[in-house]
Amino acid sequence: MWRKPKRSLWTSGEDLCSIPLCTINGCCCGEGKETKMKRVSTSHLQQLAIFTTMLTGAGVGTMYYLMQKKFAGSDYHRLALQKLEESPAAMESLGVPPLKVYSIHLTDRHNRVDQETAQIKIPVSGSKTGGYLYTSSVRDPNTNRWCLKQAVLKLREGQTINLLTPPPPAAERLLTSSTNEDNEIGNGAAWTGAG
């Protein structure tokens, strides 16, 4: 006794060929009844392709969003931005407020994170200019907390600001530069007087 195959993609459209049902269902009864397979219309295949593409795109978009959210919520990302906000020289150079922090580029070779180290390049900008905050963090195995080892802001114009060893405040720089000038003048006067 022959059974009709379950409905599949090959059940509508024109006849393609006649295939014995026993070869489809895998039975070997030897009876020679045949069934006809039909082909799927092109419009159904197009709809299936469009649906699959949209589903895949939505999945990739969701993965990208979740990865960005994970980076933005991590301790190594938060520590780097906190250090940037604590640096008056960096904030002044960027023209902050407002500070804009953008999503990191997942394909950038500077962005590497594993269980013990995190090296990321964070795009930032202000009202004057923008640049990248290059950071490197290490997880302390005893406390399981991240420690910032490097935080350098590189501006578009080429200026580099090390956030872990900030430049001295303006008053100290003036005092230091005037002391250096006095020493240079004193050394020069002693040299010219001796000659």
Side-chain angles (χ1 to χ4, degrees):
M1 177 179 243
W2 293 97
R3 291 179 291 155
K4 188 175 181 181
K6 292 182 181 177
R7 187 177 174 107
S8 68
L9 289 176
W10 298 96
T11 59
S12 65
E14 299 175 13
D15 291 342
L16 284 179
C17 61
S18 297
I19 301 174
L21 184 59
C22 62
T23 58
I24 294 172
N25 290 335
C27 76
C28 298
C29 61
E31 295 181 19
K33 277 195 168 181
E34 298 178 355
T35 185
K36 296 181 181 182
M37 295 194 58
K38 300 178 181 185
R39 110 178 122 170
V40 177
S41 69
T42 306
S43 65
H44 285 127
L45 288 175
Q46 287 174 340
Q47 288 174 357
L48 181 63
I50 290 170
F51 175 74
T52 304
T53 302
M54 289 176 56
L55 190 62
T56 303
V60 169
T62 302
M63 291 281 291
Y64 183 83
Y65 170 76
L66 292 174
M67 288 178 75
Q68 290 292 344
K69 189 175 178 181
K70 183 179 178 182
F71 276 116
S74 64
D75 286 340
Y76 48 84
H77 191 275
R78 185 185 48 77
L79 286 170
L81 290 177
Q82 187 177 20
K83 204 55 145 168
L84 175 64
E85 291 170 353
E86 291 172 359
S87 172
M91 298 300 267
E92 183 182 330
S93 297
L94 285 170
V96 174
L99 176 64
K100 294 180 184 174
V101 180
Y102 301 97
S103 299
I104 66 169
H105 303 285
L106 297 177
T107 57
D108 193 327
R109 64 181 176 87
H110 291 290
N111 297 322
R112 285 179 268 158
V113 179
D114 60 29
Q115 294 295 323
E116 295 143 5
T117 60
Q119 208 174 13
I120 56 174
K121 176 180 158 184
I122 306 170
V124 294
S125 72
S127 60
K128 290 182 185 175
T129 188
Y132 289 99
L133 177 59
Y134 291 86
T135 69
S136 179
S137 301
V138 176
R139 186 191 302 256
D140 183 3
N142 298 327
T143 62
N144 207 24
R145 296 181 125 191
W146 288 96
C147 302
L148 195 61
K149 296 295 180 190
Q150 176 191 14
V152 176
L153 176 64
K154 291 187 180 179
L155 301 175
R156 289 183 193 134
E157 294 79 25
Q159 182 184 2
T160 302
I161 301 170
N162 188 343
L163 303 177
L164 296 181
T165 56
E172 283 184 34
R173 281 187 290 196
L174 289 175
L175 181 63
T176 305
S177 64
S178 65
T179 306
N180 288 342
E181 288 174 7
D182 290 342
N183 287 341
E184 289 173 7
I185 293 172
N187 290 342
W191 181 78
T192 54

